[in-house]
Amino acid sequence: LMFDSSLDSLLGVGGFKTAHAAQLVLTPPAPVGLGSLPRHDVVMKRPYYKPNDGAQTKSRIRFNRYVLSQEAEKLFREANVLYWAKSLMQMTYQFIDHAVDTYPTPPPFDIPRLRFVEAVLLSTSSSSTRMTGAYLLEEKIICDGVFTKFIHNVDCSPLLNPDEDGYDTAEFLCFTQHVQYVKTKGLAYIADYQGMSHSLPDSTVGRGKDIFGEGNLEIGVKLFEKEHVCNAFCKWPGFGLKPFRDGSETSGGMN
């Protein structure tokens, strides 16, 4: 793994992690995915915490790093979130494809085809097998569109206005939350959807009890039935989804 840890290599800074340009070289190369190309361009992410001594100013940026054991634990939880998010999205598309294939008439809308970026958790070790580093590597997105935050992690409605580009995608993602909530019997759904029209590099998995990672809010799961508003995707009869509220406060689910 080759990377520059200086501020010059920063691709972006989030609330918990920094993103750096890096290159991954595997011998032999991986058959597919990350590491399948020579000097594969990737994004390396590392957690940080902000200093409390007032040393951080606009002209002086500082990121405090955790000790290796803490950093590895945080990155493992982040990788676990990505694993569950991809699994939940795969389950959602299986549900969609089955419904579309078996219902007599096609839906009156197009189904967006989205995916999460490829990601791996990489650890390095010395000759004594002692771990010397831990890194979260993600596929580098070709920026051919606008990076958009579709849904916030403490809400279950589109962040975009109906007249904004990407609103249809945001509504579709709200529908996927409905499917995931029902199929997991109220245990989990993907929140904090953000990315571009074809790939989603970041997400949060909410659950009734937080076992996934930092930033995952169980309060959103508890309030989902109260706050989710069904849209055209949810209401298409081929999906068999029921609203959570219809004036008589009936529970939602599957027909």
Side-chain angles (χ1 to χ4, degrees):
L1 178 66
M2 297 174 287
F3 63 90
D4 179 1
S5 60
S6 70
L7 295 180
D8 293 335
S9 75
L10 273 178
L11 298 176
V13 179
F16 304 101
K17 303 181 296 294
T18 56
H20 302 259
Q23 290 186 326
L24 178 64
V25 180
L26 296 181
T27 307
V32 294
L34 298 185
S36 59
L37 301 176
R39 300 176 69 92
H40 203 149
D41 288 329
V42 296
V43 176
M44 181 192 74
K45 292 187 175 181
R46 295 185 64 190
Y48 74 93
Y49 64 94
K50 298 177 182 178
N52 296 320
D53 56 6
Q56 185 136 320
T57 64
K58 290 183 178 180
S59 60
R60 182 185 178 187
I61 302 175
R62 199 177 88 195
F63 303 105
N64 286 9
R65 299 297 182 185
Y66 296 93
V67 297
L68 180 57
S69 60
Q70 292 176 313
E71 187 167 24
E73 178 183 1
K74 290 179 179 294
L75 290 176
F76 176 82
R77 297 188 74 185
E78 183 74 14
N80 194 36
V81 168
L82 289 169
Y83 172 83
W84 279 100
K86 291 182 72 172
S87 297
L88 286 168
M89 185 62 87
Q90 182 182 30
M91 176 195 70
T92 304
Y93 275 115
Q94 289 174 345
F95 168 83
I96 291 171
D97 293 341
H98 176 74
V100 171
D101 289 343
T102 57
Y103 199 69
T105 57
F109 43 72
D110 293 329
I111 303 293
R113 291 290 165 176
L114 309 172
R115 67 177 182 88
F116 286 100
V117 296
E118 294 294 325
V120 297
L121 183 62
L122 176 70
S123 64
T124 58
S125 60
S126 63
S127 56
S128 62
T129 70
R130 181 177 61 87
M131 187 170 65
T132 58
Y135 311 94
L136 180 65
L137 305 183
E138 293 184 2
E139 170 189 357
K140 189 174 183 179
I141 299 174
I142 299 175
C143 297
D144 56 357
V146 178
F147 192 92
T148 303
K149 194 175 183 73
F150 297 101
I151 305 174
H152 196 270
N153 62 355
V154 294
D155 202 355
C156 51
S157 58
L159 279 175
L160 303 175
N161 295 320
D163 59 344
E164 291 184 280
D165 290 340
Y167 180 78
D168 288 344
T169 299
E171 284 219 308
F172 171 75
L173 292 172
C174 289
F175 152 74
T176 67
Q177 291 180 325
H178 190 160
V179 174
Q180 293 154 12
Y181 184 88
V182 170
K183 298 293 285 184
T184 63
K185 300 186 185 303
L187 286 178
Y189 64 85
I190 303 171
D192 198 20
Y193 277 116
Q194 52 187 304
M196 290 185 292
S197 59
H198 56 82
S199 57
L200 302 166
D202 205 358
S203 67
T204 296
V205 178
R207 189 184 188 280
K209 291 184 178 179
D210 183 8
I211 62 170
F212 291 105
E214 293 174 314
N216 301 295
L217 304 176
E218 61 181 87
I219 187 64
V221 180
K222 292 180 179 179
L223 296 177
F224 185 79
E225 294 187 22
K226 180 180 179 180
E227 296 187 349
H228 173 77
V229 178
C230 286
N231 55 46
F233 292 98
C234 305
K235 295 176 182 178
W236 184 58
F239 291 136
L241 296 174
K242 295 189 296 183
F244 296 105
R245 304 181 312 281
D246 60 1
S248 58
E249 298 299 321
T250 57
S251 297
M254 306 286 291
N255 286 328

